[in-house]
Amino acid sequence: MLMGVAASAVLQAAQPGAPVGKFQQLEPMHPPPNSQRTASGAPGVSYWQNTADYDISVKLDDVKRTITGDATVTYHNASPDALSYLWVQLDQNYMSHQADSRLAPNTKRGIDPEKVTYSALDRLLTYEKYDGTLQIAKLTDAAGKPLPNTVVKTMMRIDVPAPIAPGSSFVFKIAWSFPINDCKHLNARTGYEFFEEDGNCIYTIAQWFPRLAAYTDYAGWVNKQFLGTGEFTLEFGNYTVRLTTPDDHVVAATGSLQNPDEVLSATQRERLAKAKSETSKPVFIITPDEAKAAEKNKPKGEKTWVFKADRVRDFAFASSRKFMWDAMAVKQGSKEPVMAMSLYPKEAVPLWDKYSTHAIAHCIEVYSRYTFDYPYPVAWSVNGPVGGMEYPMICFNGPRPEKDGTYPKRTKYALIGVVIHEVGHNYFPMIVNSDERQWTWMDEGLNSFVQYLAQEEWEKEYPQRRDEREITSYMRLADRVPIMTNSESIADLGNNAYAQPTAALNLLREHILGRELFDHAFKTYAQRWMFKRPTPSDLFRTMEDASGVDLDWFWRGWFYSVDHVDVAIDEVKWL
């Protein structure tokens, strides 16, 4: 006996009144291929992207808790267009006191006085006292001539004396300052944490300097305002940064330390050399006892740490006298080992000393297998006031044990997971440099997916989040929006930009393409777009090109629509 089943889900577009295009090709929705972005999803022979090099000197004042910096910026125009002005991101202005500040609506408007929470009230009162506007002290060309400019909230337009021709460069100099925010009262992606018990601070500093906005082939200048959710779209460049701090601070930053003889003791240098050959467990560069003793220090002067970083799209740093420091090496074939390193205060022990650096090493080992070898010399995880935020070669992570030194399983896995996730962002979007201001899912979703694979390998029965089992209630919501939605227009960002893409890619890998085809296609995408700027179409086209499978129906259903599975049986016949 045979039974035939006709499913109405197949080509419903043929029926009057049925939804149109469930299985229609996506090609009309993609930008037309050209010599910059090919129909296969690969960069074309004419692919270009601009770059910006920075030479920066910055001082962190631990008494006034301020940042003061100056920079020489060299902008290289590789585009075919002459540029009559530059757009620069002033993301610190998100915490401005101006009437039209992007932070103001989040703190001053829409508060019901009968339902206001203590945290909202604290934030509002703090905002009234704190003006974090980035103050521009100087802006000139290379010769010292002032440059006309216009600040538009979190963006600044610099009008150049003559258009920057294709293939040429423009140099300008800029100086600035701002007060650092106290994360206890005004939490952001940057700031300081003050410890009343010992009177010291941990600084985790990001978005701290004027950064060139991206000029792209698909959107021109990406000068959307920083509204707090859509993150950062930036150009690659080479950095030399001199960080002046109190002489007893320990500093971690994007890049390689250039002057260890001047800022590290002989003992610390010896321990660091030992760590470069240790691949099984971390070596303390600064021990717990040494860190506790340093909390009682009274700085006698200042010290300048010099870092260099090539082919990075941003620069961040951390500084404190409270830090203990551990490190271990991660081998990648015949290449120089990557140094996995963690900084954390005594308040983070015993959790961080057990898991942070091991999680960095695990992340690099697994991510590199699915994408490409980690190309940078270091990877830092720093404990501080920011719950989880990523920058090239360094990330800030928040979980700590209870004050009595105990911690529940959820805190242990929160730390392991956030370290894997934030270090994993080095791959997406710090190297595969997608446009975070527009497409949050292209970095958060792809990263969360590879994080899922890394956590599966951490231990059997790892308590996973953000897979298809965890988002069924979200997928039933009638008012959810497609993944292909601008970052600032998504209410449930966690489910939309992190969980749904993770579930989608897991299904694609396990049930549609299979692991072999999927892994080959995904690695092809990652390697094609290393140190370049892909768009969603480049991902979708590459996955189909490298797998040999038409997936337009899949992208349409999971990424472009909010449809749910709705299969009906029309009839059953005896054959």
Side-chain angles (χ1 to χ4, degrees):
M1 179 181 70
L2 297 176
M3 180 178 292
V5 179
S8 67
V10 180
L11 297 177
Q12 293 181 5
Q15 302 175 14
V20 175
K22 300 293 184 184
F23 296 92
Q24 180 181 343
Q25 293 292 287
L26 276 180
E27 204 58 33
M29 298 175 64
H30 287 315
N34 54 41
S35 61
Q36 290 156 223
R37 299 174 186 272
T38 68
S40 70
V45 295
S46 300
Y47 179 82
W48 59 266
Q49 61 188 24
N50 294 347
T51 56
D53 298 332
Y54 298 82
D55 189 292
I56 304 176
S57 295
V58 58
K59 178 179 178 179
L60 187 158
D61 190 320
D62 191 30
V63 176
K64 297 179 181 178
R65 295 174 187 156
T66 57
I67 291 289
T68 305
D70 63 80
T72 299
V73 184
T74 305
Y75 184 76
H76 306 280
N77 181 17
S79 81
D81 308 320
L83 303 177
S84 57
Y85 47 79
L86 303 175
W87 280 101
V88 176
Q89 300 190 41
L90 307 179
D91 303 295
Q92 176 66 24
N93 282 0
Y94 175 68
M95 292 187 281
S96 168
H97 233 169
Q98 299 170 24
D100 60 355
S101 163
R102 311 314 296 175
L103 184 63
N106 297 335
T107 55
K108 289 188 171 181
R109 301 175 193 172
I111 296 179
D112 184 341
E114 295 183 2
K115 298 179 181 179
V116 65
T117 64
Y118 285 111
S119 60
L121 182 60
D122 181 54
R123 184 178 176 90
L124 178 61
L125 294 175
T126 300
Y127 175 78
E128 294 295 336
K129 296 182 293 183
Y130 172 77
D131 184 0
T133 305
L134 190 147
Q135 300 290 341
I136 304 294
K138 179 185 73 173
L139 177 59
T140 71
D141 63 14
K145 184 178 180 180
L147 290 171
N149 65 91
T150 302
V151 175
V152 186
K153 301 173 184 176
T154 62
M155 287 284 175
M156 177 173 66
R157 191 189 71 238
I158 300 175
D159 299 320
V160 297
I164 307 169
S168 65
S169 301
F170 180 75
V171 178
F172 66 90
K173 297 183 177 183
I174 189 167
W176 69 95
S177 65
F178 65 88
I180 305 168
N181 58 295
D182 180 350
C183 283
K184 180 180 179 181
H185 301 289
L186 196 59
N187 205 358
R189 302 168 192 266
T190 181
Y192 71 83
E193 177 180 12
F194 177 69
F195 293 79
E196 293 184 4
E197 303 84 6
D198 52 65
N200 295 305
C201 290
I202 288 177
Y203 297 91
T204 50
I205 306 299
Q207 294 88 251
W208 57 276
F209 63 99
R211 303 178 294 173
L212 261 299
Y215 184 76
T216 69
D217 62 287
Y218 61 82
W221 284 107
V222 180
N223 54 5
K224 292 182 175 69
Q225 294 293 324
F226 177 44
L227 304 180
T229 301
E231 291 184 339
F232 313 110
T233 306
L234 299 160
E235 304 283 18
F236 286 110
N238 300 329
Y239 286 71
T240 298
V241 180
R242 289 165 292 278
L243 291 159
T244 299
T245 68
D247 58 10
D248 59 346
H249 271 215
V250 179
V251 176
T254 300
S256 297
L257 180 63
Q258 300 298 295
N259 60 336
D261 292 349
E262 298 174 18
V263 296
L264 302 180
S265 69
T267 300
Q268 290 167 349
R269 298 196 302 271
E270 182 180 323
R271 292 169 178 170
L272 192 56
K274 179 182 177 182
K276 291 180 180 179
S277 60
E278 179 59 69
T279 59
S280 60
K281 62 180 181 180
V283 173
F284 274 112
I285 315 304
I286 297 176
T287 68
D289 288 341
E290 290 167 345
K292 290 176 185 176
E295 290 182 337
K296 303 172 184 177
N297 285 350
K298 298 296 182 183
K300 300 179 178 63
E302 296 177 340
K303 187 184 291 183
T304 298
W305 300 63
V306 182
F307 291 88
K308 289 193 72 173
D310 294 335
R311 299 185 82 186
V312 294
R313 48 167 252 168
D314 202 356
F315 191 103
F317 68 94
S319 183
S320 179
R321 64 177 56 89
K322 288 177 63 67
F323 286 141
M324 53 193 78
W325 173 7
D326 70 37
M328 65 184 284
V330 183
K331 293 287 189 180
Q332 291 193 122
S334 60
K335 297 181 177 181
E336 282 290 312
V338 177
M339 293 307 298
M341 303 193 283
S342 297
L343 291 180
Y344 45 93
K346 65 180 186 299
E347 289 80 5
V349 175
L351 184 64
W352 273 66
D353 52 329
K354 290 183 178 180
Y355 298 112
S356 177
T357 299
H358 283 291
I360 298 170
H362 180 74
C363 173
I364 291 171
E365 289 165 354
V366 176
Y367 273 65
S368 294
R369 197 182 328 128
Y370 286 104
T371 57
F372 43 76
D373 283 351
Y374 184 81
Y376 296 134
V378 300
W380 287 97
S381 170
V382 181
N383 180 238
V386 177
M389 193 59 203
E390 73 282 356
Y391 302 93
M393 302 185 227
I394 189 170
C395 58
F396 309 144
N397 302 307
R400 286 180 186 150
E402 304 296 329
K403 289 188 176 180
D404 63 3
T406 63
Y407 51 88
K409 280 188 175 181
R410 68 176 180 274
T411 303
K412 166 189 168 180
Y413 289 112
L415 175 62
I416 295 167
V418 74
V419 171
I420 292 173
H421 182 88
E422 304 304 345
V423 174
H425 270 308
N426 278 284
Y427 297 81
F428 308 99
M430 301 300 155
I431 297 166
V432 180
N433 185 26
S434 58
D435 183 346
E436 296 178 272
R437 188 77 29 114
Q438 176 64 40
W439 299 296
T440 295
W441 70 268
M442 282 198 76
D443 72 289
E444 298 295 358
L446 299 191
N447 183 43
S448 295
F449 164 68
V450 188
Q451 175 192 354
Y452 181 97
L453 300 178
Q455 290 173 170
E456 279 194 324
E457 295 190 32
W458 178 270
E459 68 182 37
K460 190 175 182 180
E461 304 299 327
Y462 187 99
Q464 293 279 17
R465 297 176 59 223
R466 291 175 174 158
D467 64 0
E468 57 270 26
R469 296 166 295 181
E470 294 292 323
I471 61 165
T472 51
S473 59
Y474 168 73
M475 297 292 282
R476 293 191 187 104
L477 295 177
D479 60 349
R480 64 189 179 93
V481 298
I483 292 175
M484 289 289 289
T485 300
N486 177 264
S487 303
E488 308 300 340
S489 301
I490 301 169
D492 194 344
L493 199 72
N495 278 318
N496 179 282
Y498 294 68
Q500 188 174 331
T502 299
L505 294 174
N506 264 315
L507 288 171
L508 190 59
R509 182 174 187 258
E510 299 292 343
H511 303 294
I512 297 171
L513 290 181
R515 294 184 179 182
E516 183 178 353
L517 273 184
F518 179 94
D519 291 351
H520 170 72
F522 191 76
K523 179 176 278 193
T524 299
Y525 165 73
Q527 294 185 350
R528 278 179 174 179
W529 290 96
M530 284 181 71
F531 299 109
K532 296 182 176 67
R533 181 176 285 111
T535 66
S537 295
D538 299 316
L539 169 64
F540 299 150
R541 283 168 162 162
T542 293
M543 292 298 292
E544 295 189 19
D545 179 70
S547 70
V549 178
D550 185 346
L551 297 169
D552 283 15
W553 62 275
F554 181 82
W555 310 128
R556 185 182 297 277
W558 275 91
F559 289 80
Y560 284 92
S561 81
V562 292
D563 292 343
H564 58 279
V565 176
D566 187 15
V567 178
I569 297 176
D570 287 346
E571 60 181 9
V572 179
K573 291 183 178 181
W574 290 101
L575 296 179

